[in-house]
């Protein structure tokens, strides 16, 4: 995998159901994986930053896991609520001559919660 | 606690005109970034800076210039605007994308239309 890829592109989930989606990233030269939540007409907000293989982070009903050896991360939302409707972006750091300071973003998973 | 402030929020330019977008952050972040967001393309890095007085090219730098004369400000310039530069521009800043686990803080975006 050369780029950061997210699937599915969009998702409709019934309120109360749980859901998950995937981020795939280049596993070579991995440094960090970020998840952001982006509501319409707002700016992206950081959810998680993960660096270690096997990392699992949790914030309320949202959690994320990381597999750096195979290059994927899952984001889980338990008991979806209407306020979870947003685009979820993942991003991976890209090493450069300066260091590991750049992020490459996926195109996002657009989640819509149906009341 | 303003975070990252972008000005202006909206602008319409004629082809060939020039303009400067201003990004200001009050969090003492070292790193600052300019992204553009286009439908189906995700966030693409234009230019970035790892500290006062430094700049570097990102993924799509052509047609743009940047300056970081003060740590808190990162300016994005369009010398001769083209319709292909119609986009939503996001500025972001961060302490570091290393193992300190800090994510980006984004501004609210500038919607630019070039006619």
């Amino acid at each position: 995998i050369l780029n950061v890829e997210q699937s599915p592109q969009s998702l409709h989930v019934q309120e109360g159901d749980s859901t998950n989606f995937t981020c795939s990233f280049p596993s070579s030269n991995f440094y960090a994986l970020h998840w952001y939540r982006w509501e319409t007409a707002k700016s992206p907000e950081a959810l998680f930053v993960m660096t270690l293989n096997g990392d699992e982070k949790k914030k309320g009903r949202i959690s994320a896991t990381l597999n750096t050896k195979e290059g994927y991360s899952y984001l889980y939302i338990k008991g979806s609520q209407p306020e979870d409707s947003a685009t979820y972006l993942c991003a991976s750091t890209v090493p450069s001559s300066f260091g590991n300071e750049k992020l490459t973003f996926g195109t996002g998973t657009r989640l819509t919660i149906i009341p | 606690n303003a975070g990252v402030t972008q000005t202006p929020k909206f602008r319409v330019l004629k082809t060939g005109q020039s303009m400067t977008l201003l990004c200001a952050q009050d969090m003492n972040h070292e790193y600052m970034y300019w992204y553009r967001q286009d439908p189906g393309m995700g966030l693409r890095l234009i230019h970035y800076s790892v500290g006062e007085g430094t700049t570097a090219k990102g993924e799509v730098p052509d047609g743009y210039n940047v300056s970081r004369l003060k740590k808190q400000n990162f300016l994005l310039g369009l010398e001769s605007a083209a319709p292909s530069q119609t986009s939503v521009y996001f500025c972001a800043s961060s302490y570091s994308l290393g193992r300190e686990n800090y994510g980006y803080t984004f501004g609210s975006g500038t919607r630019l239309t070039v006619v």
Side-chain angles (χ1 to χ4, degrees), chain A residues 52 72 109:
Chain A
L52 299 176
Y72 64 84
T109 292

Side-chain angles (χ1 to χ4, degrees), chain B residues 29-80:
Chain B
H29 284 170
E30 284 295 327
Y31 301 157
M32 296 186 75
Y33 311 82
W34 276 107
Y35 282 86
R36 60 177 288 172
Q37 191 252 334
D38 302 294
M41 303 287 288
L43 289 167
R44 293 185 293 167
L45 182 64
I46 304 170
H47 286 281
Y48 66 104
S49 168
V50 300
E52 182 179 318
T54 74
T55 62
K57 293 180 180 180
E59 185 185 354
V60 288
D62 294 341
Y64 305 95
N65 56 74
V66 287
S67 64
R68 183 102 181 266
L69 299 179
K70 293 182 179 181
K71 186 177 183 179
Q72 63 267 33
N73 295 335
F74 194 31
L75 278 62
L76 178 72
L78 286 73
E79 290 187 347
S80 179

Side-chain angles (χ1 to χ4, degrees), chain A residues 4 9 13 19 25 40 42 46 48 51 69 86 98-99 101 104 107:
Chain A
V4 177
Q9 276 191 331
V13 174
T19 187
F25 54 88
T40 303
K42 295 188 178 180
F48 307 114
T51 56
K69 296 186 188 304
F98 286 114
E101 74 289 351
T104 296
T107 53

